[in-house]
Amino acid sequence: MVNKSDLTREAEVFHRQFFRQNAPKEFIEQYLDAHDELLDLTQASKNELRTVNIIIKRNLDALGIEPWLRSGSKRHLLSRKLLLTAYLAECDALHPGFRQETHGHALSLLYLCGHGGLAAFHLIKGRIQKAYYGLF
Amino acid sequence: MDFFEHIIIGSGPAGVSAALKLEGPNTCVVDVANKPASDFPYSNLKEALASGQTENILGNHWEMLSNLSNPLHCHPKLRAQTIRHVMQGEEFQVTDSANKLLVQGRGSFAAGGMANVWGAQLLRYNDDDLSEVGDWPILASELTRHYNDLESHIGISGVEDDMSPFLGPTNDLLPPIPGVPVANYMLDKYYARRSYKSEPGLRIGRPRLALLTQAYNGRSAYNFGETEFFTPAREGIYNPLHTLEELLQRDKIHYLGGHKLISFQEHQDYVEIQVEVVKTHEKKILRTKHLLLGCGTIQTTRLVLLNQGKEGLSLPFIDHPPTLLPVFFPASFGSKLPQHSYPIQLIGTLENGKGRDMMSFYFPAGMLWSDLLPDIPLPMNIARSVLSSLIGGMLVAQIWETSRPSKGNRMHVKTDGTVKIEYNDRQAYSKLPLLLTELRKLGGFSLDSLASAPPPSWGFHHAATLPMRINPKPFETHTDGRLWDSRRIRVIDGSVLPSLPAKNHSLTIMANSARISEQVKLCGY
């Protein structure tokens, strides 16, 4: 049985890390609803569950850790939950963090360079946290 | 008891092409005819996203998230709630040489068949194709008249350009689909380069699509709403269902929807078939002078094997497993996203090296951006931001090569009636380094590490299980479609194609079905 308060906290943490804003009420409701219905979000190995629990408890860099957990044909539980976060935001017309829009050529090149640095920072941080806490 | 001149099983491309050729009061189409339970209530994806109605986009039961655990669980085009009905046919499994399960799939019982989700590229085979692939007992010229008739019926958009020698002649083309900025950029670079270099390494051009860019034959033009991942082929994209409905409206055929073929028995003067009413499971017997099986390669072959009591017998099986390669055009990064577009933007072929290939260049319109995040090797929040910059300058190449039967690729029916396909022999795309070089000349960049190979049967280009031969052996077919030992039972779908050139086989399945149906008319019995 999925613990609703744990899931609510999870939704809040993932949303804040993804979009740097608090999660709207509707987002949390949909996050919980998806967990009620989708086995993909609840069926997981002990390692996967432990990884997600530690990330939430210690507010680790979920988005920096997740790429290091990608391997094989089956996605890690953390990947699935973060993807759910992305899908829910994308379908929310009023969500400020997710728009299908572009920035023009010059600005795009600037963004790409800037994001390169940010990606490196998160990936290094995530790698260190993954190793330190023994996350699999 | 109902007695028909012709009974056609299936309402997909093969079945409907046969119905068009054999239309008349004594022709009956028998069809399971699954239809969608609901409709996608938006005319375009932007409207859907603006609505904020999550359940309409992701499904009442989160159907669009069915690939959360395994990205290969379900083809991305088959996830949506309104498309689920397309894949409710017979189950099949595809395994590799280690008996590892690659794909758990189903055939189609949908009205219109797999055409409900096709990309609508309808291309002819020509003599170069057939001589390169080998093993065909008929000439491409035997299909020409049927290609002409079908193209006139369907309406094909495109343009005569550098790909015309590869694609072959065609009837009057409707105007081509609108190009997105990155595709126009690639094409402009190609033409600029071609003006001073006579022999291009990579030849590209506009696609030929069964997609109406203007009203045609009483059908409306396509609205380019980018809903291809959310709804079956809509008005403006050819779906055999349109032809079926026209034939029914004009009272040109009988139609038994909601009926499934169970078995068939050939007698001297007729074939007796047993069908089941899907809703009630009631059984019915029909008789016909000629039975034409057009259920799709896997389902037709399964029926033939079961009818012969040959569970366990393995037959050759081929597919066109594609190679996918994202290509980035930095000059187009940040391009404004088009308001209307269609995924297939360009097609191409590499002129150098051995063997023919064909690539379709897709613009990732019509997909949720979240679908693309796991493929970007970055934290997902950064990947989302980076997508805004990249997507306007991105195309995905889907590449096919010639496909021939090989010892390691076989299909059989298990004792429980399910289909197992062993797909052990698969060649990696051999010309990738050459393609990368040629793409760079057109301003496109990629890496061979970004290439991916979806599993076999992914694209549903199935064929060769009951191949046409001049002198067929058991479980092969005559060139007029008849099973090896039959006078009155013919196969009209992809099962009979002995090998696959590096092109979509949809139009050839339809043309061959029409050719076989014509033979039925002329057979004299």
Side-chain angles (χ1 to χ4, degrees):
Chain A
M1 183 88 141
V2 178
N3 182 316
K4 284 215 162 127
S5 70
D6 286 348
L7 271 183
T8 301
R9 166 132 176 85
E10 195 180 278
E12 287 166 349
V13 167
F14 287 152
H15 190 280
R16 202 174 309 119
Q17 290 196 11
F18 216 122
F19 302 109
R20 290 187 287 187
Q21 305 170 26
N22 290 335
K25 183 170 152 248
E26 295 75 21
F27 172 87
I28 296 175
E29 282 170 6
Q30 288 171 342
Y31 192 90
L32 264 55
D33 185 49
H35 279 74
D36 272 341
E37 198 149 352
L38 285 173
L39 287 176
D40 277 353
L41 293 168
T42 51
Q43 279 183 344
S45 68
K46 278 185 185 166
N47 279 334
E48 288 175 323
L49 288 166
R50 175 183 168 272
T51 291
V52 171
N53 285 341
I54 290 177
I55 286 172
I56 298 301
K57 222 180 226 176
R58 296 185 182 273
N59 204 12
L60 302 181
D61 188 344
L63 290 149
I65 292 168
E66 185 270 333
W68 299 109
L69 299 172
R70 295 180 197 175
S71 73
S73 54
K74 195 171 175 203
R75 290 197 182 117
H76 195 282
L77 180 65
L78 178 62
S79 303
R80 295 177 239 157
K81 287 176 181 267
L82 289 175
L83 263 178
L84 172 66
T85 303
Y87 277 113
L88 291 177
E90 187 168 6
C91 293
D92 177 358
L94 299 174
H95 199 287
F98 209 123
R99 291 277 179 273
Q100 280 199 9
E101 57 191 19
T102 56
H103 309 292
H105 186 60
L107 216 52
S108 288
L109 293 176
L110 274 171
Y111 269 127
L112 282 169
C113 294
H115 279 109
L118 200 55
F121 168 73
H122 280 286
L123 285 171
I124 293 168
K125 185 178 168 198
R127 182 79 171 145
I128 293 169
Q129 288 181 339
K130 177 183 180 292
Y132 185 80
Y133 289 97
L135 305 178
F136 296 98
Chain B
M1 179 180 308
D2 290 324
F3 195 111
F4 295 95
E5 189 89 14
H6 321 106
I7 288 181
I8 300 163
I9 309 295
S11 66
V16 163
S17 181
L20 205 48
K21 193 58 93 172
L22 296 171
E23 62 175 73
N26 282 314
T27 294
C28 180
V29 173
V30 172
D31 188 21
V32 176
N34 286 350
K35 295 223 169 109
S38 57
D39 198 15
F40 188 62
Y42 308 101
S43 61
N44 63 72
L45 181 58
K46 288 174 180 51
E47 186 191 323
L49 290 171
S51 75
Q53 298 295 313
T54 304
E55 65 276 7
N56 282 343
I57 304 166
L58 297 184
N60 290 332
H61 300 287
W62 307 99
E63 285 86 345
M64 287 297 278
L65 302 187
S66 52
N67 284 358
L68 266 188
S69 267
N70 179 359
L72 301 179
H73 170 74
C74 181
H75 193 289
K77 268 190 121 178
L78 298 172
R79 293 173 298 167
Q81 184 175 289
T82 53
I83 295 179
R84 288 282 164 133
H85 72 287
V86 175
M87 309 306 300
Q88 298 299 320
E90 301 294 351
E91 285 185 32
F92 64 87
Q93 292 179 337
V94 183
T95 58
D96 65 10
S97 54
N99 207 28
K100 180 183 157 202
L101 182 65
L102 298 175
V103 171
Q104 178 86 41
R106 301 188 80 151
S108 183
F109 280 159
M114 291 303 298
N116 281 285
V117 290
W118 67 8
Q121 283 199 91
L122 293 191
L123 309 174
R124 299 186 182 210
Y125 289 174
N126 55 36
D127 288 325
D128 288 341
D129 294 322
L130 299 192
S131 68
E132 197 251 348
V133 75
D135 236 7
W136 277 62
I138 64 168
L139 299 171
S141 55
E142 295 176 59
L143 298 171
T144 302
R145 190 160 41 81
H146 305 290
Y147 282 141
N148 289 342
D149 291 345
L150 285 163
E151 287 180 357
S152 291
H153 174 73
I154 290 168
I156 304 290
S157 65
V159 74
E160 293 280 357
D161 61 16
D162 279 17
M163 283 299 286
S164 295
F166 181 83
L167 296 175
T170 185
N171 294 336
D172 296 331
L173 290 168
L174 302 177
I177 60 165
V180 300
V182 63
N184 292 339
Y185 170 82
M186 186 179 178
L187 206 52
D188 287 344
K189 289 278 279 187
Y190 170 78
Y191 283 126
R193 190 174 167 75
R194 198 197 52 159
S195 66
Y196 64 86
K197 198 167 168 48
S198 56
E199 288 300 323
L202 173 65
R203 189 179 289 275
I204 63 172
R206 307 301 296 278
R208 285 197 195 156
L209 299 166
L211 194 152
L212 302 182
T213 47
Q214 60 193 39
Y216 183 84
N217 268 0
R219 299 182 216 132
S220 309
Y222 190 55
N223 76 343
F224 296 98
E226 300 178 343
T227 56
E228 294 82 23
F229 283 80
F230 295 89
T231 177
R234 273 184 161 164
E235 175 108 53
I237 296 182
Y238 181 69
N239 187 328
L241 210 46
H242 304 151
T243 301
L244 184 66
E245 285 165 357
E246 285 162 14
L247 289 169
L248 289 170
Q249 261 168 23
R250 293 188 291 125
D251 237 346
K252 288 293 185 180
I253 52 166
H254 278 276
Y255 180 63
L256 276 181
H259 287 67
K260 182 179 162 188
L261 176 67
I262 304 296
S263 63
F264 47 91
Q265 175 80 46
E266 185 167 354
H267 300 269
Q268 172 91 9
D269 296 322
Y270 60 89
V271 182
E272 188 170 281
I273 74 170
Q274 186 182 59
V275 296
E276 178 184 272
V277 181
V278 173
K279 271 194 186 146
T280 63
H281 304 291
E282 177 200 344
K283 305 280 194 292
K284 283 183 187 174
I285 301 289
L286 308 172
R287 286 183 181 175
T288 181
K289 281 191 183 173
H290 299 281
L291 177 65
L292 290 87
L293 300 172
C295 322
T297 297
I298 289 177
Q299 293 184 144
T300 290
T301 307
R302 176 183 175 274
L303 280 165
V304 170
L305 283 167
L306 287 176
N307 219 62
Q308 293 278 332
K310 289 293 184 186
E311 294 89 331
L313 176 70
S314 80
L315 298 178
F317 177 88
I318 63 174
D319 183 40
H320 254 156
T323 298
L324 299 178
L325 180 75
V327 187
F328 301 96
F329 295 81
S332 295
F333 285 164
S335 294
K336 194 169 171 198
L337 297 179
Q339 286 300 302
H340 310 281
S341 70
Y342 189 71
I344 303 173
Q345 285 289 308
L346 298 170
I347 54 171
T349 183
L350 265 180
E351 299 281 279
N352 302 330
K354 278 189 199 167
R356 285 155 79 79
D357 59 22
M358 194 193 102
M359 48 207 81
S360 302
F361 291 91
Y362 288 74
F363 181 64
M367 296 187 79
L368 296 174
W369 285 17
S370 301
D371 284 338
L372 301 172
L373 295 182
D375 294 327
I376 302 173
L378 295 172
M380 283 195 202
N381 57 335
I382 294 171
R384 190 211 63 76
S385 300
V386 158
L387 254 185
S388 303
S389 301
L390 288 181
I391 204 160
M394 182 177 159
L395 293 171
V396 178
Q398 179 168 228
I399 308 157
W400 294 284
E401 290 185 282
T402 305
S403 187
R404 300 180 183 87
S406 74
K407 279 187 191 160
N409 300 341
R410 313 284 296 180
M411 169 187 157
H412 72 270
V413 177
K414 300 194 284 189
T415 48
D416 63 359
T418 55
V419 172
K420 186 162 175 207
I421 296 161
E422 286 141 12
Y423 210 93
N424 303 325
D425 300 336
R426 182 184 180 162
Q427 307 292 326
Y429 178 55
S430 54
K431 297 192 270 182
L432 195 54
L434 186 57
L435 176 62
L436 292 172
T437 304
E438 292 299 324
L439 285 168
R440 277 195 292 274
K441 295 173 188 173
L442 302 181
F445 297 85
S446 189
L447 298 169
D448 51 17
S449 56
L450 295 179
S452 61
S457 89
W458 193 243
F460 283 85
H461 288 196
H462 303 153
T465 47
L466 302 165
M468 294 189 282
R469 303 284 189 225
I470 302 287
N471 294 308
K473 294 185 187 135
F475 298 94
E476 295 178 340
T477 48
H478 294 270
T479 56
D480 63 1
R482 286 178 298 122
L483 291 174
W484 66 101
D485 61 352
S486 171
R487 287 182 81 222
R488 297 178 179 279
I489 302 169
R490 295 169 204 256
V491 178
I492 56 172
D493 55 33
S495 316
V496 303
L497 306 185
S499 53
L500 291 178
K503 278 180 188 168
N504 308 53
H505 63 342
S506 308
L507 187 63
T508 298
I509 286 176
M510 297 181 77
N512 196 47
S513 171
R515 182 187 66 81
I516 289 170
S517 302
E518 195 170 73
Q519 308 261 327
V520 174
K521 275 170 141 175
L522 299 171
C523 72
Y525 57 86

